[in-house]
Amino acid sequence: MCSISPIFSIIIPVYNVEDYLSECIESVINQTFNNYECILIDDGSTDKSSIICDFFALKNNKLKVIHKNNSGLSETRNIGILNSSGVYIIFLDSDDMFSNNEALFHLNNIIINTNAPVVFNSNLIFINKKTNDYLSNEQFNGYNVSYDSIIFFRIIMKNKNIILAGWLFTVQREYLIENNLLFKHGILHEDELWMPFIICNSNIIAINHNPFYSYRINRENSIMSVIKPKMLLDKQLIINEIQLKKNIISKSKHFILNARCIMLWNTIFDVVFYLDNQYNEEKELIIKNLIKQKTVLIHGQKIIYFIYYFSIILFGLKNTFLLRKLKRKYLHV
């Protein structure tokens, strides 16, 4: 007898999050919509996280635990995808949680109404780790239930503070496999490479405006709490990867990939000169890469990018950085 696939496979990478993991798992098992499987992937945790995973899995047959040696977030997510059986994939970080018990119920209704391969969960709740205060943030300023991917991206570009992390996208498993949209192993900021191609390969993206994902901020020891050279070097690797893969995407959508490259370039440019002196060797390499990759700026849709491009050619990167600081200080832009 053939078993019916669950609607959702919820993939939770787990690594040394014993203080938050139980709350994360409980936000899954308390869902009123229960046509799901939840795959907990213990990425070689050295605290009590693996014990917590096994404890919950013994009590709930919807939970499956995979224990493995530590290999990082990308490979852990990929293992989850390849071992999943759900129609749609949801990524949930183990220190975060679903916003309420109706999160999957509302998401399923949107999928029924649109049949979209990709859903953007727009209503993000920030939870302050230190105070437990929360702030709800509706990120997408559009009211249709779904959009053409080009229109979707043009709308999100208007929100400078939008977060486009992988865990805000619910994606058909078949869509991921057919388009070879797994995560690149060994890099930080893997979402920055994955997300643009998620958008570009889809003709339709549905929007979920219901509270869905609660994101914990100010977590001690978070990977995002300290800027290190590898973070910047990996962003530069991602720029190169996006440029290499542009030819597989329709030219009408190249502006999406260009915009993400410019965003990455600017993010690196903003912080590289503040790197600690102990990273001087890496700093020089990052600066050289920025100069090589300056051509991404000429594909931007704002005149300021052309100004930066020619300023680098005429005055060098550091002088262009000082020019940008002055512009922001006196023009507040």
Side-chain angles (χ1 to χ4, degrees):
M1 184 174 177
C2 183
S3 60
I4 299 174
S5 296
I7 299 299
F8 299 116
S9 289
I10 303 163
I11 295 172
I12 306 180
V14 176
Y15 181 72
N16 288 356
V17 282
E18 61 181 17
D19 292 339
Y20 311 101
L21 183 55
S22 293
E23 191 173 9
C24 172
I25 297 173
E26 286 168 355
S27 80
V28 175
I29 62 180
N30 289 335
Q31 290 296 305
T32 58
F33 182 88
N34 62 11
N35 191 358
Y36 68 83
E37 65 174 1
C38 179
I39 305 174
L40 296 155
I41 308 167
D42 171 30
D43 189 27
S45 295
T46 57
D47 65 357
K48 296 178 181 178
S49 295
S50 59
I51 297 172
I52 295 170
C53 289
D54 290 337
F55 171 77
F56 277 97
L58 283 172
K59 298 197 302 179
N60 191 314
N61 61 11
K62 290 185 178 297
L63 275 59
K64 178 168 70 173
V65 181
I66 299 174
H67 295 288
K68 67 180 191 65
N69 294 330
N70 181 260
S71 61
L73 182 60
S74 293
E75 186 168 324
T76 302
R77 282 178 171 173
N78 290 343
I79 288 172
I81 293 169
L82 296 175
N83 284 274
S84 66
S85 59
V87 181
Y88 282 81
I89 300 292
I90 296 171
F91 297 110
L92 179 60
D93 281 0
S94 50
D95 54 341
D96 299 330
M97 67 198 81
F98 288 130
S99 295
N100 58 48
N101 296 345
E102 303 290 322
L104 294 185
F105 171 79
H106 291 300
L107 177 60
N108 183 61
N109 285 342
I110 289 165
I111 288 169
I112 290 171
N113 291 331
T114 64
N115 197 32
V118 179
V119 181
F120 178 63
N121 300 294
S122 175
N123 194 325
L124 175 62
I125 294 176
F126 296 95
I127 300 177
N128 189 303
K129 181 259 175 186
K130 295 179 181 177
T131 65
N132 279 329
D133 293 333
Y134 68 89
L135 174 67
S136 181
N137 184 353
E138 175 60 56
Q139 300 196 96
F140 189 83
N141 298 320
Y143 300 100
N144 294 346
V145 294
S146 63
Y147 290 85
D148 171 272
S149 58
I150 292 176
I151 297 173
F152 167 81
F153 192 78
R154 291 195 186 281
I155 292 173
I156 65 174
M157 283 179 70
K158 295 177 182 177
N159 183 353
K160 294 181 180 179
N161 298 316
I162 198 167
I163 293 176
L164 293 174
W167 33 259
L168 287 178
F169 289 86
T170 298
V171 188
Q172 281 181 354
R173 183 184 187 277
E174 184 179 4
Y175 173 84
L176 291 174
I177 301 301
E178 285 183 352
N179 291 288
N180 194 27
L181 290 170
L182 298 180
F183 292 89
K184 186 174 179 65
H185 177 56
I187 64 169
L188 303 174
H189 306 288
E190 58 285 317
D191 288 2
E192 291 290 357
L193 178 57
W194 182 81
M195 175 275 301
F197 291 98
I198 289 292
I199 295 172
C200 286
N201 280 283
S202 178
N203 290 323
I204 180 173
I205 296 176
I207 310 298
N208 178 15
H209 292 289
N210 300 288
F212 182 77
Y213 197 100
S214 292
Y215 173 60
R216 204 184 299 272
I217 58 175
N218 295 332
R219 180 167 74 86
E220 294 175 7
N221 300 322
S222 168
I223 194 171
M224 298 307 298
S225 61
V226 180
I227 297 293
K228 296 288 178 66
K230 178 171 171 55
M231 296 180 181
L232 305 185
L233 287 165
D234 282 355
K235 284 177 184 283
Q236 293 182 323
L237 183 151
I238 290 168
I239 291 174
N240 288 337
E241 288 276 326
I242 290 175
Q243 295 298 314
L244 286 172
K245 293 180 178 179
K246 274 172 68 172
N247 63 336
I248 66 174
I249 298 299
S250 166
K251 286 188 177 180
S252 65
K253 297 182 181 181
H254 279 192
F255 83 96
I256 296 174
L257 302 178
N258 292 333
R260 295 313 292 177
C261 287
I262 290 171
M263 184 279 298
L264 288 166
W265 192 95
N266 275 293
T267 301
I268 301 162
F269 187 44
D270 278 338
V271 300
V272 65
F273 290 105
Y274 296 110
L275 276 175
D276 192 275
N277 288 336
Q278 66 177 306
Y279 302 123
N280 276 343
E281 187 175 337
E282 295 93 334
K283 184 176 178 179
E284 287 181 15
L285 176 58
I286 293 165
I287 289 172
K288 287 179 181 178
N289 289 339
L290 278 173
I291 294 170
K292 287 180 183 177
Q293 294 178 334
K294 67 182 181 298
T295 53
V296 302
L297 297 173
I298 63 176
H299 298 295
Q301 298 182 348
K302 295 181 180 178
I303 189 66
I304 190 64
Y305 298 137
F306 289 91
I307 293 173
Y308 288 150
Y309 174 78
F310 288 110
S311 176
I312 292 167
I313 293 173
L314 294 172
F315 308 115
L317 192 75
K318 188 162 188 177
N319 287 330
T320 302
F321 176 75
L322 296 174
L323 173 68
R324 177 136 114 180
K325 281 181 66 176
L326 289 171
K327 179 180 76 71
R328 289 181 172 174
K329 180 177 179 180
Y330 293 108
L331 300 179
H332 307 289
V333 291

